[in-house]
């Protein structure tokens, strides 16, 4: 290659390099341990803070989310510490402020999302191509490792950190399946026009990984997301309303009425009839939910305070394993209403521009494709499917304030935005 030709090779952009490194970290920690997601998203966000100049893109979603965070702070220990004369000149005092971590994360994660939102198609396409192959490779590794009893993970842990019990190693391996399910639809969107065999391999891996590791929540989330994706494509209009408006209504209803539904199940004794068919872990969840709902109804409007779930002892081990119940318990129905508003606005934002008329009115679009006119892939069903998977997992697993879980949601959002850009024909 001559010097002249070499000088014409385009150099990767700063944003592309940072995003590429972030995706490498994501792949690494998907296998090594999800706690690294917070480090990954923080790394990317810190180096891309300049993209906050595009903060207006968040619109009303950002405004409502900010109000929710301010309500969270008002229901934290901050006011108590101020009134009790806590010494804020000491690092330990700041370290104990759990609310501060939740407030700072949107700063880093928001910058990461805005950077992905602003990425050029060529850069996004290259990054998503690499992620597609990494995704399939990681799924294969997880399946092989799970079939071997997590021996690979045990060996890696013993070499780099410390020995780990086989059962705990299998649990660690199974956590990767949550990322697989959430990343499936963005990866499929980016690979819409690529080799079909890769898509089939990715789907098979995404199904087999939860089955082999015994992770039921990711498998349920995948089933729900596939259903949502099919419905969004097959029935874009339901009863004269966009499917996105219908879904926003259902999700908002589910968030607001989850505590009341669980309380009704408890009062009617239906839970006792169902328990005999539930696995032990799901039976334990039902106990946690029933106890937490009773506490919610004692302080329905203000809640018991941010992070109070950790202080109820044995009935609630760490958190209620349900986003709606945890927010209702800690922030009351004021917080629950704000959470529902965020989800509703997010779904409506995804569905912006979706058809409001019967499908027959758009038949001419399919005719255009046969005439050779390029039609871009509609990314909305992919976004809705991804969001439905997040919703299912958030309603069954993890605490909503867990750093790694919030980081994973931010990373998935950024990757979806890159996939959306990469999928559009230019």
């Amino acid at each position: 290659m001559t010097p002249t030709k070499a000088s014409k090779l385009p150099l990767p952009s700063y944003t592309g390099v940072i995003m590429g490194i972030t995706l490498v970290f994501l792949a690494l920690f998907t296998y090594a341990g999800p706690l690294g997601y917070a480090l990954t998203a923080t790394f990317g966000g810190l180096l891309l803070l300049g993209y906050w100049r595009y903060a207006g893109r968040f619109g009303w979603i950002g405004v409502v989310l900010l109000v929710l965070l301010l309500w969270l702070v008002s229901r934290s220990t901050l006011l108590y510490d101020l009134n009790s004369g806590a010494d804020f000149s000491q690092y330990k005092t700041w370290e104990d402020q759990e609310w501060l971590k939740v407030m700072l994360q949107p700063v880093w994660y928001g910058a990461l999302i805005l950077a992905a939102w602003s990425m050029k198609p060529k850069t996004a396409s290259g990054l998503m191509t690499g992620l597609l192959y990494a995704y399939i490779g990681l799924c294969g590794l997880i399946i092989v490792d799970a079939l071997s009893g997590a021996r690979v993970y045990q060996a890696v842990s013993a070499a780099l950190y410390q020995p780990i019990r086989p059962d705990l190693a299998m649990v660690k391996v199974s956590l990767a399946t949550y990322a697989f399910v959430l990343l499936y639809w963005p990866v499929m969107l980016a690979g819409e026009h690529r080799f079909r065999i890769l898509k089939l391999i990715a789907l098979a891996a995404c199904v087999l990984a939860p089955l082999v590791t015994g992770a039921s929540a990711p498998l349920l989330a995948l089933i729900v997301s596939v259903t949502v994706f099919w419905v969004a494509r097959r029935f874009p209009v339901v009863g004269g309303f966009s499917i996105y408006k219908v879904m926003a209504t259902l999700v908002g209803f589910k968030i607001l009425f989850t505590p009341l539904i669980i309380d009704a199940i408890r009062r009617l004794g239906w839970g006792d009839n169902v328990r005999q068919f539930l696995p032990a872990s799901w039976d334990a969840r039902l106990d946690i939910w029933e106890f937490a709902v009773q506490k919610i109804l004692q302080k329905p409007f203000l809640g018991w305070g941010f992070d109070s779930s950790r202080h109820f002892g044995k009935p609630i081990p760490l958190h209620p394993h349900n986003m709606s119940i945890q927010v209702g318990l800690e922030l009351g129905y004021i917080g629950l209403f704000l959470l529902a508003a965020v989800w509703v606005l997010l779904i409506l934002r995804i569905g912006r521009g979706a058809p409001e008329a019967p499908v027959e009115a758009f038949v001419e679009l399919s005719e255009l494709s046969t005439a050779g006119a390029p039609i871009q892939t509609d990314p909305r069903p992919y976004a809705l499917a991804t969001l439905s998977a997040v919703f299912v997992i958030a309603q069954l697993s993890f605490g909503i304030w867990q750093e790694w879980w919030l980081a994973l949601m931010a990373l998935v959002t950024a990757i979806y935005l890159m996939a959306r850009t990469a999928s559009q024909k230019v």
Side-chain angles (χ1 to χ4, degrees), residues 216-274:
S216 54
L219 185 58
L220 179 59
L222 178 63
I223 294 172
V224 171
S225 67
V226 169
T227 304
V228 168
F229 179 79
W230 180 81
V231 170
R233 276 197 156 182
R234 183 66 179 83
F235 305 102
V237 178
V238 178
F241 295 96
S242 164
I243 185 62
Y244 300 93
K245 291 183 177 179
V246 174
M247 289 298 297
T249 302
L250 292 175
V251 167
F253 179 90
K254 175 64 171 64
I255 291 174
L256 291 174
F257 286 90
T258 291
L260 299 180
I261 293 172
I262 296 297
D263 184 61
I265 292 175
R266 181 186 64 83
R267 291 177 181 275
L268 295 173
W270 291 351
D272 297 334
N273 298 328
V274 176

Short mmCIF file of all heavy atoms in Angstrom, two decimals, residues 216-274:
data_model
loop_
_atom_site.label_atom_id
_atom_site.label_comp_id
_atom_site.label_asym_id
_atom_site.label_seq_id
_atom_site.Cartn_x
_atom_site.Cartn_y
_atom_site.Cartn_z
N SER A 216 -35.45 -19.07 34.36
CA SER A 216 -36.83 -19.05 33.84
C SER A 216 -37.28 -17.65 33.45
O SER A 216 -38.03 -17.49 32.47
CB SER A 216 -37.78 -19.63 34.89
OG SER A 216 -37.64 -18.96 36.14
N ALA A 217 -36.88 -16.62 34.19
CA ALA A 217 -37.33 -15.26 33.90
C ALA A 217 -36.89 -14.78 32.50
O ALA A 217 -37.70 -14.22 31.75
CB ALA A 217 -36.86 -14.29 34.97
N PRO A 218 -35.61 -14.99 32.10
CA PRO A 218 -35.23 -14.59 30.74
C PRO A 218 -36.00 -15.34 29.66
O PRO A 218 -36.34 -14.75 28.63
CB PRO A 218 -33.73 -14.92 30.68
CG PRO A 218 -33.29 -14.97 32.08
CD PRO A 218 -34.45 -15.48 32.86
N LEU A 219 -36.28 -16.62 29.91
CA LEU A 219 -37.03 -17.39 28.90
C LEU A 219 -38.44 -16.85 28.76
O LEU A 219 -38.96 -16.70 27.65
CB LEU A 219 -37.06 -18.86 29.30
CG LEU A 219 -37.70 -19.82 28.28
CD1 LEU A 219 -36.98 -19.73 26.94
CD2 LEU A 219 -37.69 -21.25 28.80
N LEU A 220 -39.08 -16.52 29.90
CA LEU A 220 -40.42 -15.94 29.86
C LEU A 220 -40.39 -14.58 29.15
O LEU A 220 -41.27 -14.26 28.35
CB LEU A 220 -40.98 -15.79 31.26
CG LEU A 220 -42.37 -15.16 31.38
CD1 LEU A 220 -43.39 -15.98 30.60
CD2 LEU A 220 -42.79 -15.02 32.84
N ALA A 221 -39.34 -13.80 29.44
CA ALA A 221 -39.20 -12.49 28.80
C ALA A 221 -39.04 -12.63 27.29
O ALA A 221 -39.60 -11.84 26.51
CB ALA A 221 -38.01 -11.74 29.39
N LEU A 222 -38.31 -13.65 26.86
CA LEU A 222 -38.13 -13.88 25.43
C LEU A 222 -39.45 -14.26 24.78
O LEU A 222 -39.79 -13.75 23.70
CB LEU A 222 -37.10 -14.99 25.21
CG LEU A 222 -36.84 -15.37 23.75
CD1 LEU A 222 -36.26 -14.19 22.98
CD2 LEU A 222 -35.90 -16.58 23.66
N ILE A 223 -40.22 -15.14 25.43
CA ILE A 223 -41.51 -15.56 24.88
C ILE A 223 -42.45 -14.36 24.74
O ILE A 223 -43.12 -14.17 23.72
CB ILE A 223 -42.14 -16.64 25.77
CG1 ILE A 223 -41.30 -17.93 25.73
CG2 ILE A 223 -43.58 -16.94 25.34
CD1 ILE A 223 -41.73 -18.98 26.73
N VAL A 224 -42.50 -13.53 25.80
CA VAL A 224 -43.36 -12.35 25.76
C VAL A 224 -42.91 -11.38 24.66
O VAL A 224 -43.73 -10.84 23.91
CB VAL A 224 -43.38 -11.64 27.13
CG1 VAL A 224 -44.08 -10.29 27.04
CG2 VAL A 224 -44.05 -12.52 28.17
N SER A 225 -41.60 -11.17 24.55
CA SER A 225 -41.09 -10.22 23.56
C SER A 225 -41.36 -10.70 22.14
O SER A 225 -41.67 -9.90 21.25
CB SER A 225 -39.60 -9.98 23.78
OG SER A 225 -38.83 -11.14 23.50
N VAL A 226 -41.23 -12.01 21.90
CA VAL A 226 -41.55 -12.56 20.57
C VAL A 226 -43.02 -12.33 20.24
O VAL A 226 -43.38 -11.95 19.12
CB VAL A 226 -41.20 -14.06 20.50
CG1 VAL A 226 -41.77 -14.69 19.23
CG2 VAL A 226 -39.70 -14.26 20.56
N THR A 227 -43.87 -12.54 21.24
CA THR A 227 -45.31 -12.32 21.05
C THR A 227 -45.61 -10.86 20.74
O THR A 227 -46.38 -10.54 19.83
CB THR A 227 -46.09 -12.76 22.31
OG1 THR A 227 -45.79 -14.13 22.61
CG2 THR A 227 -47.58 -12.60 22.10
N VAL A 228 -44.99 -9.97 21.52
CA VAL A 228 -45.20 -8.53 21.31
C VAL A 228 -44.71 -8.11 19.93
O VAL A 228 -45.37 -7.33 19.22
CB VAL A 228 -44.49 -7.72 22.42
CG1 VAL A 228 -44.44 -6.24 22.07
CG2 VAL A 228 -45.19 -7.93 23.75
N PHE A 229 -43.56 -8.63 19.53
CA PHE A 229 -43.00 -8.30 18.22
C PHE A 229 -43.95 -8.74 17.10
O PHE A 229 -44.22 -7.98 16.17
CB PHE A 229 -41.64 -8.98 18.06
CG PHE A 229 -40.98 -8.72 16.73
CD1 PHE A 229 -40.32 -7.52 16.50
CD2 PHE A 229 -41.02 -9.67 15.72
CE1 PHE A 229 -39.71 -7.27 15.27
CE2 PHE A 229 -40.40 -9.43 14.49
CZ PHE A 229 -39.75 -8.23 14.27
N TRP A 230 -44.48 -9.95 17.22
CA TRP A 230 -45.39 -10.48 16.21
C TRP A 230 -46.68 -9.65 16.14
O TRP A 230 -47.15 -9.30 15.06
CB TRP A 230 -45.71 -11.94 16.50
CG TRP A 230 -46.64 -12.55 15.50
CD1 TRP A 230 -46.33 -13.05 14.26
CD2 TRP A 230 -48.06 -12.73 15.65
NE1 TRP A 230 -47.45 -13.52 13.64
CE2 TRP A 230 -48.53 -13.34 14.46
CE3 TRP A 230 -48.96 -12.44 16.67
CZ2 TRP A 230 -49.87 -13.66 14.28
CZ3 TRP A 230 -50.30 -12.75 16.49
CH2 TRP A 230 -50.75 -13.36 15.30
N VAL A 231 -47.21 -9.32 17.31
CA VAL A 231 -48.45 -8.53 17.35
C VAL A 231 -48.22 -7.14 16.77
O VAL A 231 -49.05 -6.63 16.00
CB VAL A 231 -48.98 -8.42 18.80
CG1 VAL A 231 -50.11 -7.41 18.90
CG2 VAL A 231 -49.45 -9.79 19.30
N ALA A 232 -47.09 -6.51 17.13
CA ALA A 232 -46.81 -5.16 16.64
C ALA A 232 -46.67 -5.12 15.13
O ALA A 232 -47.05 -4.13 14.49
CB ALA A 232 -45.54 -4.61 17.30
N ARG A 233 -46.16 -6.20 14.54
CA ARG A 233 -46.02 -6.26 13.09
C ARG A 233 -47.31 -6.70 12.40
O ARG A 233 -47.65 -6.20 11.34
CB ARG A 233 -44.89 -7.22 12.71
CG ARG A 233 -43.51 -6.59 12.75
CD ARG A 233 -42.52 -7.44 11.99
NE ARG A 233 -41.37 -6.67 11.52
CZ ARG A 233 -40.39 -7.17 10.80
NH1 ARG A 233 -40.42 -8.45 10.43
NH2 ARG A 233 -39.38 -6.42 10.42
N ARG A 234 -48.02 -7.62 13.02
CA ARG A 234 -49.21 -8.19 12.38
C ARG A 234 -50.44 -7.31 12.61
O ARG A 234 -51.29 -7.19 11.73
CB ARG A 234 -49.46 -9.60 12.96
CG ARG A 234 -50.64 -10.33 12.33
CD ARG A 234 -50.37 -10.64 10.88
NE ARG A 234 -51.47 -11.36 10.27
CZ ARG A 234 -52.58 -10.78 9.78
NH1 ARG A 234 -52.69 -9.47 9.84
NH2 ARG A 234 -53.53 -11.49 9.23
N PHE A 235 -50.54 -6.69 13.77
CA PHE A 235 -51.71 -5.87 14.10
C PHE A 235 -51.26 -4.49 14.58
O PHE A 235 -51.36 -4.18 15.77
CB PHE A 235 -52.55 -6.56 15.18
CG PHE A 235 -52.97 -7.95 14.85
CD1 PHE A 235 -52.32 -9.04 15.42
CD2 PHE A 235 -54.02 -8.19 13.96
CE1 PHE A 235 -52.71 -10.34 15.11
CE2 PHE A 235 -54.41 -9.48 13.65
CZ PHE A 235 -53.76 -10.56 14.22
N PRO A 236 -50.76 -3.66 13.67
CA PRO A 236 -50.29 -2.33 14.08
C PRO A 236 -51.40 -1.43 14.59
O PRO A 236 -51.14 -0.46 15.30
CB PRO A 236 -49.68 -1.77 12.79
CG PRO A 236 -50.34 -2.51 11.69
CD PRO A 236 -50.60 -3.88 12.22
N VAL A 237 -52.67 -1.76 14.23
CA VAL A 237 -53.81 -0.99 14.71
C VAL A 237 -54.81 -1.95 15.34
O VAL A 237 -55.17 -2.97 14.75
CB VAL A 237 -54.49 -0.22 13.54
CG1 VAL A 237 -55.71 0.54 14.04
CG2 VAL A 237 -53.50 0.72 12.88
N VAL A 238 -55.23 -1.64 16.57
CA VAL A 238 -56.20 -2.48 17.31
C VAL A 238 -57.35 -1.59 17.74
O VAL A 238 -57.16 -0.65 18.52
CB VAL A 238 -55.54 -3.14 18.53
CG1 VAL A 238 -56.57 -3.97 19.30
CG2 VAL A 238 -54.36 -4.01 18.11
N GLY A 239 -58.55 -1.90 17.24
CA GLY A 239 -59.72 -1.13 17.62
C GLY A 239 -59.63 0.34 17.28
O GLY A 239 -60.18 1.20 17.99
N GLY A 240 -58.94 0.66 16.21
CA GLY A 240 -58.80 2.04 15.80
C GLY A 240 -57.70 2.80 16.50
O GLY A 240 -57.52 4.00 16.28
N PHE A 241 -56.93 2.10 17.35
CA PHE A 241 -55.83 2.74 18.07
C PHE A 241 -54.51 2.05 17.68
O PHE A 241 -54.47 0.85 17.45
CB PHE A 241 -56.02 2.64 19.59
CG PHE A 241 -57.21 3.40 20.09
CD1 PHE A 241 -58.43 2.77 20.29
CD2 PHE A 241 -57.11 4.75 20.37
CE1 PHE A 241 -59.52 3.46 20.76
CE2 PHE A 241 -58.19 5.46 20.84
CZ PHE A 241 -59.41 4.81 21.04
N SER A 242 -53.45 2.83 17.65
CA SER A 242 -52.13 2.28 17.41
C SER A 242 -51.79 1.24 18.48
O SER A 242 -52.13 1.42 19.66
CB SER A 242 -51.09 3.40 17.41
OG SER A 242 -49.79 2.88 17.56
N ILE A 243 -51.13 0.17 18.09
CA ILE A 243 -50.75 -0.87 19.04
C ILE A 243 -49.87 -0.30 20.15
O ILE A 243 -49.88 -0.79 21.29
CB ILE A 243 -50.02 -2.04 18.32
CG1 ILE A 243 -49.72 -3.20 19.27
CG2 ILE A 243 -48.73 -1.54 17.67
CD1 ILE A 243 -50.94 -3.84 19.88
N TYR A 244 -49.15 0.77 19.86
CA TYR A 244 -48.27 1.37 20.86
C TYR A 244 -49.08 2.10 21.93
O TYR A 244 -48.71 2.09 23.11
CB TYR A 244 -47.27 2.31 20.18
CG TYR A 244 -46.42 1.57 19.18
CD1 TYR A 244 -46.77 1.50 17.84
CD2 TYR A 244 -45.28 0.88 19.60
CE1 TYR A 244 -46.01 0.78 16.93
CE2 TYR A 244 -44.51 0.16 18.69
CZ TYR A 244 -44.89 0.12 17.36
OH TYR A 244 -44.13 -0.61 16.47
N LYS A 245 -50.19 2.71 21.55
CA LYS A 245 -51.08 3.32 22.54
C LYS A 245 -51.75 2.26 23.40
O LYS A 245 -51.92 2.44 24.60
CB LYS A 245 -52.12 4.19 21.83
CG LYS A 245 -51.55 5.44 21.17
CD LYS A 245 -52.65 6.30 20.56
CE LYS A 245 -52.04 7.59 19.97
NZ LYS A 245 -53.08 8.44 19.34
N VAL A 246 -52.11 1.15 22.76
CA VAL A 246 -52.72 0.05 23.51
C VAL A 246 -51.72 -0.51 24.52
O VAL A 246 -52.05 -0.73 25.70
CB VAL A 246 -53.20 -1.06 22.55
CG1 VAL A 246 -53.70 -2.27 23.34
CG2 VAL A 246 -54.29 -0.53 21.63
N MET A 247 -50.49 -0.74 24.07
CA MET A 247 -49.47 -1.28 24.96
C MET A 247 -49.13 -0.30 26.09
O MET A 247 -48.92 -0.71 27.23
CB MET A 247 -48.21 -1.62 24.16
CG MET A 247 -48.34 -2.81 23.24
SD MET A 247 -48.67 -4.35 24.13
CE MET A 247 -47.19 -4.49 25.13
N ALA A 248 -49.08 1.00 25.77
CA ALA A 248 -48.80 1.99 26.80
C ALA A 248 -49.88 1.98 27.88
O ALA A 248 -49.59 2.07 29.08
CB ALA A 248 -48.71 3.38 26.17
N THR A 249 -51.13 1.83 27.46
CA THR A 249 -52.24 1.76 28.41
C THR A 249 -52.13 0.52 29.29
O THR A 249 -52.31 0.60 30.52
CB THR A 249 -53.59 1.75 27.66
OG1 THR A 249 -53.69 2.92 26.84
CG2 THR A 249 -54.75 1.72 28.64
N LEU A 250 -51.84 -0.63 28.69
CA LEU A 250 -51.73 -1.88 29.45
C LEU A 250 -50.57 -1.83 30.45
O LEU A 250 -50.72 -2.25 31.60
CB LEU A 250 -51.54 -3.05 28.49
CG LEU A 250 -52.73 -3.39 27.59
CD1 LEU A 250 -52.37 -4.50 26.61
CD2 LEU A 250 -53.94 -3.80 28.43
N VAL A 251 -49.43 -1.30 30.01
CA VAL A 251 -48.27 -1.23 30.90
C VAL A 251 -48.53 -0.26 32.05
O VAL A 251 -48.20 -0.55 33.20
CB VAL A 251 -47.02 -0.81 30.10
CG1 VAL A 251 -45.88 -0.43 31.04
CG2 VAL A 251 -46.58 -1.95 29.19
N GLY A 252 -49.11 0.91 31.73
CA GLY A 252 -49.43 1.85 32.78
C GLY A 252 -50.40 1.26 33.80
O GLY A 252 -50.23 1.43 35.02
N PHE A 253 -51.41 0.54 33.31
CA PHE A 253 -52.36 -0.13 34.20
C PHE A 253 -51.65 -1.16 35.07
O PHE A 253 -51.90 -1.24 36.28
CB PHE A 253 -53.45 -0.80 33.35
CG PHE A 253 -54.49 -1.54 34.16
CD1 PHE A 253 -55.63 -0.90 34.60
CD2 PHE A 253 -54.32 -2.89 34.46
CE1 PHE A 253 -56.59 -1.58 35.34
CE2 PHE A 253 -55.27 -3.58 35.20
CZ PHE A 253 -56.41 -2.93 35.65
N LYS A 254 -50.78 -1.95 34.45
CA LYS A 254 -50.07 -3.00 35.20
C LYS A 254 -49.21 -2.41 36.31
O LYS A 254 -49.18 -2.93 37.44
CB LYS A 254 -49.19 -3.81 34.24
CG LYS A 254 -48.31 -4.86 34.89
CD LYS A 254 -49.15 -5.95 35.54
CE LYS A 254 -48.27 -7.12 36.02
NZ LYS A 254 -47.32 -6.73 37.07
N ILE A 255 -48.51 -1.32 36.02
CA ILE A 255 -47.65 -0.71 37.03
C ILE A 255 -48.47 -0.17 38.19
O ILE A 255 -48.17 -0.42 39.37
CB ILE A 255 -46.80 0.40 36.40
CG1 ILE A 255 -45.77 -0.20 35.44
CG2 ILE A 255 -46.10 1.23 37.48
CD1 ILE A 255 -44.98 0.84 34.67
N LEU A 256 -49.54 0.54 37.88
CA LEU A 256 -50.33 1.20 38.93
C LEU A 256 -51.15 0.22 39.77
O LEU A 256 -51.33 0.43 40.97
CB LEU A 256 -51.26 2.24 38.30
CG LEU A 256 -50.58 3.48 37.70
CD1 LEU A 256 -51.60 4.35 36.98
CD2 LEU A 256 -49.88 4.28 38.79
N PHE A 257 -51.62 -0.85 39.14
CA PHE A 257 -52.55 -1.72 39.84
C PHE A 257 -51.91 -3.02 40.34
O PHE A 257 -52.60 -3.84 40.94
CB PHE A 257 -53.74 -2.06 38.93
CG PHE A 257 -54.70 -0.92 38.76
CD1 PHE A 257 -54.54 -0.01 37.73
CD2 PHE A 257 -55.75 -0.73 39.65
CE1 PHE A 257 -55.41 1.05 37.57
CE2 PHE A 257 -56.63 0.32 39.51
CZ PHE A 257 -56.46 1.23 38.46
N THR A 258 -50.61 -3.20 40.12
CA THR A 258 -49.96 -4.42 40.63
C THR A 258 -50.15 -4.61 42.12
O THR A 258 -50.53 -5.72 42.57
CB THR A 258 -48.46 -4.41 40.28
OG1 THR A 258 -48.30 -4.57 38.87
CG2 THR A 258 -47.73 -5.55 40.99
N PRO A 259 -49.93 -3.60 42.98
CA PRO A 259 -50.15 -3.81 44.42
C PRO A 259 -51.59 -4.22 44.74
O PRO A 259 -51.81 -5.10 45.58
CB PRO A 259 -49.81 -2.44 45.03
CG PRO A 259 -48.89 -1.81 44.05
CD PRO A 259 -49.38 -2.25 42.71
N LEU A 260 -52.56 -3.61 44.08
CA LEU A 260 -53.97 -3.92 44.35
C LEU A 260 -54.32 -5.32 43.86
O LEU A 260 -55.11 -6.03 44.50
CB LEU A 260 -54.86 -2.88 43.70
CG LEU A 260 -54.67 -1.43 44.17
CD1 LEU A 260 -55.62 -0.50 43.44
CD2 LEU A 260 -54.87 -1.33 45.68
N ILE A 261 -53.74 -5.72 42.73
CA ILE A 261 -54.00 -7.06 42.20
C ILE A 261 -53.44 -8.12 43.15
O ILE A 261 -54.11 -9.12 43.45
CB ILE A 261 -53.39 -7.20 40.79
CG1 ILE A 261 -54.13 -6.30 39.80
CG2 ILE A 261 -53.44 -8.66 40.34
CD1 ILE A 261 -53.48 -6.24 38.43
N ILE A 262 -52.22 -7.91 43.62
CA ILE A 262 -51.61 -8.87 44.55
C ILE A 262 -52.40 -8.94 45.84
O ILE A 262 -52.61 -10.02 46.41
CB ILE A 262 -50.14 -8.49 44.83
CG1 ILE A 262 -49.31 -8.59 43.55
CG2 ILE A 262 -49.55 -9.39 45.92
CD1 ILE A 262 -49.21 -9.97 42.97
N ASP A 263 -52.87 -7.78 46.32
CA ASP A 263 -53.67 -7.77 47.56
C ASP A 263 -54.99 -8.51 47.37
O ASP A 263 -55.44 -9.24 48.26
CB ASP A 263 -53.93 -6.33 47.99
CG ASP A 263 -54.66 -6.25 49.33
OD1 ASP A 263 -54.08 -6.73 50.33
OD2 ASP A 263 -55.78 -5.73 49.37
N ALA A 264 -55.60 -8.33 46.18
CA ALA A 264 -56.86 -9.05 45.91
C ALA A 264 -56.63 -10.56 45.87
O ALA A 264 -57.44 -11.34 46.38
CB ALA A 264 -57.45 -8.56 44.60
N ILE A 265 -55.52 -10.98 45.25
CA ILE A 265 -55.18 -12.40 45.21
C ILE A 265 -55.00 -12.95 46.61
O ILE A 265 -55.44 -14.06 46.94
CB ILE A 265 -53.91 -12.61 44.36
CG1 ILE A 265 -54.20 -12.31 42.89
CG2 ILE A 265 -53.38 -14.04 44.52
CD1 ILE A 265 -52.98 -12.36 42.00
N ARG A 266 -54.34 -12.17 47.47
CA ARG A 266 -54.12 -12.60 48.86
C ARG A 266 -55.44 -12.72 49.62
O ARG A 266 -55.69 -13.71 50.31
CB ARG A 266 -53.21 -11.61 49.57
CG ARG A 266 -52.87 -11.98 51.03
CD ARG A 266 -52.08 -10.89 51.70
NE ARG A 266 -52.84 -9.65 51.81
CZ ARG A 266 -53.72 -9.41 52.79
NH1 ARG A 266 -53.95 -10.33 53.73
NH2 ARG A 266 -54.37 -8.26 52.83
N ARG A 267 -56.29 -11.71 49.46
CA ARG A 267 -57.56 -11.71 50.19
C ARG A 267 -58.49 -12.83 49.73
O ARG A 267 -59.23 -13.42 50.54
CB ARG A 267 -58.26 -10.36 50.02
CG ARG A 267 -57.54 -9.21 50.73
CD ARG A 267 -58.26 -7.89 50.47
NE ARG A 267 -57.59 -6.77 51.12
CZ ARG A 267 -57.80 -6.40 52.38
NH1 ARG A 267 -58.69 -7.07 53.12
NH2 ARG A 267 -57.16 -5.37 52.90
N LEU A 268 -58.48 -13.13 48.44
CA LEU A 268 -59.35 -14.17 47.91
C LEU A 268 -58.78 -15.58 48.09
O LEU A 268 -59.46 -16.57 47.82
CB LEU A 268 -59.60 -13.92 46.42
CG LEU A 268 -60.40 -12.63 46.09
CD1 LEU A 268 -60.43 -12.40 44.59
CD2 LEU A 268 -61.82 -12.73 46.66
N GLY A 269 -57.52 -15.64 48.52
CA GLY A 269 -56.90 -16.95 48.75
C GLY A 269 -56.48 -17.66 47.49
O GLY A 269 -56.20 -18.87 47.52
N TRP A 270 -56.44 -16.95 46.38
CA TRP A 270 -56.07 -17.61 45.11
C TRP A 270 -54.60 -18.03 45.11
O TRP A 270 -54.23 -19.02 44.45
CB TRP A 270 -56.31 -16.66 43.95
CG TRP A 270 -57.77 -16.40 43.71
CD1 TRP A 270 -58.83 -17.05 44.30
CD2 TRP A 270 -58.35 -15.43 42.82
NE1 TRP A 270 -60.02 -16.54 43.85
CE2 TRP A 270 -59.76 -15.55 42.93
CE3 TRP A 270 -57.83 -14.48 41.96
CZ2 TRP A 270 -60.63 -14.74 42.21
CZ3 TRP A 270 -58.69 -13.68 41.23
CH2 TRP A 270 -60.07 -13.81 41.36
N GLY A 271 -53.77 -17.30 45.85
CA GLY A 271 -52.36 -17.65 45.89
C GLY A 271 -52.12 -19.03 46.43
O GLY A 271 -51.22 -19.76 45.96
N ASP A 272 -52.93 -19.47 47.41
CA ASP A 272 -52.78 -20.80 47.99
C ASP A 272 -53.06 -21.89 46.97
O ASP A 272 -52.45 -22.97 47.01
CB ASP A 272 -53.72 -20.95 49.19
CG ASP A 272 -53.39 -19.98 50.31
OD1 ASP A 272 -52.21 -19.57 50.40
OD2 ASP A 272 -54.31 -19.61 51.08
N ASN A 273 -53.97 -21.61 46.06
CA ASN A 273 -54.31 -22.61 45.04
C ASN A 273 -53.23 -22.72 43.97
O ASN A 273 -53.04 -23.77 43.36
CB ASN A 273 -55.64 -22.24 44.38
CG ASN A 273 -56.79 -22.22 45.37
OD1 ASN A 273 -56.80 -22.98 46.33
ND2 ASN A 273 -57.76 -21.33 45.15
N VAL A 274 -52.51 -21.62 43.76
CA VAL A 274 -51.51 -21.59 42.70
C VAL A 274 -50.16 -22.11 43.17
O VAL A 274 -49.38 -22.66 42.39
CB VAL A 274 -51.36 -20.15 42.16
CG1 VAL A 274 -50.25 -20.06 41.13
CG2 VAL A 274 -52.67 -19.67 41.57
#
